[in-house]
């Protein structure tokens, strides 16, 4: 069995250190490099695949470096704007054999939650997302909430529903939170939490709740390892682990 060499960028972070442990424990994978802020990425320690869990401001440049080196990348860092994605697609055009997966959430349950929410979105005019995370999280709303809202918004548009209508009560302070893709999204930052999300759908006399909880960062690792194994079979840019899992 051939061994896949893996380097981790953001290796001493919360997700990166968990990813290093998961790679070391996985059959057929070898951890060859650990990189953090200020480290020269160079040839990425000879990796075939890089796992990238850094910070939104650094991720695009790190991924661009990997692509230029002809190395496949599994990206968990959030904060990828349409502009950054377009730049990455252009770069990948120059390296047609390289695969990059950007996954806002590697927990299989969260990927299923997003798929279920997308399915339900076509059936309810009223829908909201509540995402709850640890207080050190730098971005809000979370990448998972933004992606969920994007999938729900597209499903609603297809069903002719448009954006979720404003509540009839007045909201002079904008206290009901942000909107993403026409869906109201509420962000909670609380000690003790890891990563949690509820998607609520309401109609007269009923409510559907779809909820996923990551209690521990190990919940992300089966998805990360599956992605590391599959990324070279998917040249170009893929957004969302669901495309690798057939969900
Ligand atoms: P963290 O702050 O614990 O770790 C970030 C790491 O990145 C640190 O080790 C830091 O040294 C390193 N870093 C900073 N700048 C860098 C640079 N320029 N080059 C290389 N490394 C650099 O953060 P975290 O909690 O591990 O989260 C990392 C990212 O992963 C965040 O964007 C977070 O939202 C995201 N995340 C994704 C998932 C998912 O399933 N996709 C799950 C949880 C968190």
């Amino acid at each position: 069995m051939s061994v896949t060499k893996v380097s981790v960028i953001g290796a001493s972070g919360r997700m990166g250190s968990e990813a290093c442990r998961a790679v070391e424990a996985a059959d057929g994978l070898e951890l060859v490099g650990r990189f953090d802020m200020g480290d020269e990425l160079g040839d990425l320690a000879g990796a075939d695949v890089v796992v990238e869990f850094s910070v939104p401001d650094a991720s695009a440049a790190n991924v661009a470096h990997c692509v230029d080196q002809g190395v496949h990348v599994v990206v968990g860092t959030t904060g990828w704007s349409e502009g950054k994605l377009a730049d990455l697609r252009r770069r990948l055009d120059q390296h047609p054999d390289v695969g990059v997966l950007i996954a806002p959430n590697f927990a299989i349950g969260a990927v299923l939650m997003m798929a279920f929410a997308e399915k339900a979105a076509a059936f309810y005019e009223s829908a909201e997302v509540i995402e709850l995370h640890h207080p050190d999280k730098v971005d809000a709303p979370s990448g998972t909430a933004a992606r969920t809202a994007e999938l729900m918004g597209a499903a609603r548009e297809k069903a002719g529903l448009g954006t979720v209508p404003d509540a009839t009560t007045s909201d002079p302070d904008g206290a009901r939170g942000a909107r993403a893709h026409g869906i109201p999204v509420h962000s909670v930052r609380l000690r003790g939490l890891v990563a949690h999300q509820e998607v609520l759908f309401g109609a007269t006399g009923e409510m559907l709740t779809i909820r996923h909880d990551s209690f521990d960062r190990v919940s992300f690792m089966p998805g990360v390892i599956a992605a590391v194994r599959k990324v070279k079979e998917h040249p170009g840019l893929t957004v969302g682990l669901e495309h690798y899992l057939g969900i």
Side-chain angles (χ1 to χ4, degrees):
M1 179 179 172
S2 71
V3 169
T4 300
K5 294 180 180 168
V6 182
S7 285
V8 175
I9 299 180
S12 22
R14 286 174 289 250
M15 290 298 288
S17 53
E18 206 62 68
C20 289
R21 276 191 286 279
V23 168
E24 283 176 321
D27 287 342
L29 305 185
E30 183 189 353
L31 183 69
V32 293
R34 298 167 191 251
F35 298 90
D36 267 296
M37 186 160 59
D39 291 344
E40 189 62 51
L41 296 178
D43 72 349
L44 298 154
D48 306 306
V49 178
V50 159
V51 175
E52 212 277 352
F53 278 110
S54 65
V55 289
D57 283 350
S59 188
N62 288 339
V63 174
H65 181 89
C66 298
V67 171
D68 288 347
Q69 294 287 317
V71 175
H72 309 288
V73 201
V74 170
V75 187
T77 311
T78 49
W80 284 82
S81 62
E82 280 306 319
K84 286 182 186 175
L85 291 173
D87 287 348
L88 178 55
R89 280 197 187 93
R90 274 193 291 276
R91 190 172 291 270
L92 281 162
D93 286 343
Q94 311 301 314
H95 302 274
D97 298 333
V98 175
V100 176
L101 170 72
I102 298 178
N105 201 315
F106 282 102
I108 312 281
V111 176
L112 287 168
M113 169 195 62
M114 287 188 264
F116 297 155
E118 179 183 14
K119 183 122 189 145
F123 296 93
Y124 290 87
E125 188 183 62
S126 187
E128 307 221 354
V129 175
I130 306 172
E131 57 95 342
L132 311 92
H133 285 84
H134 60 89
D136 297 325
K137 185 168 179 59
V138 290
D139 54 336
S142 69
T144 301
R147 176 77 177 148
T148 308
E150 184 182 357
L151 294 169
M152 288 168 65
R156 288 174 68 87
E157 206 173 304
K158 218 167 146 190
L161 283 175
T163 63
V164 172
D166 284 326
T168 48
T169 50
S170 62
D171 180 25
D173 303 324
R176 297 188 68 258
R179 274 178 177 258
H181 304 275
I183 314 284
V185 178
H186 309 269
S187 299
V188 177
R189 297 290 174 265
L190 205 68
R191 277 192 197 159
L193 297 179
V194 177
H196 315 257
Q197 182 166 293
E198 273 187 15
V199 188
L200 311 175
F201 297 94
T204 309
E206 67 153 320
M207 175 170 149
L208 168 66
T209 305
I210 303 170
R211 180 170 175 122
H212 178 261
D213 297 278
S214 277
F215 299 114
D216 190 299
R217 289 181 181 83
V218 293
S219 64
F220 301 110
M221 294 307 131
V224 171
I225 297 301
V228 167
R229 295 192 198 285
K230 291 183 183 208
V231 64
K232 46 185 168 302
E233 296 160 22
H234 296 268
L237 176 62
T238 306
V239 178
L241 184 61
E242 62 274 20
H243 301 292
Y244 281 20
L245 302 179
I247 289 172

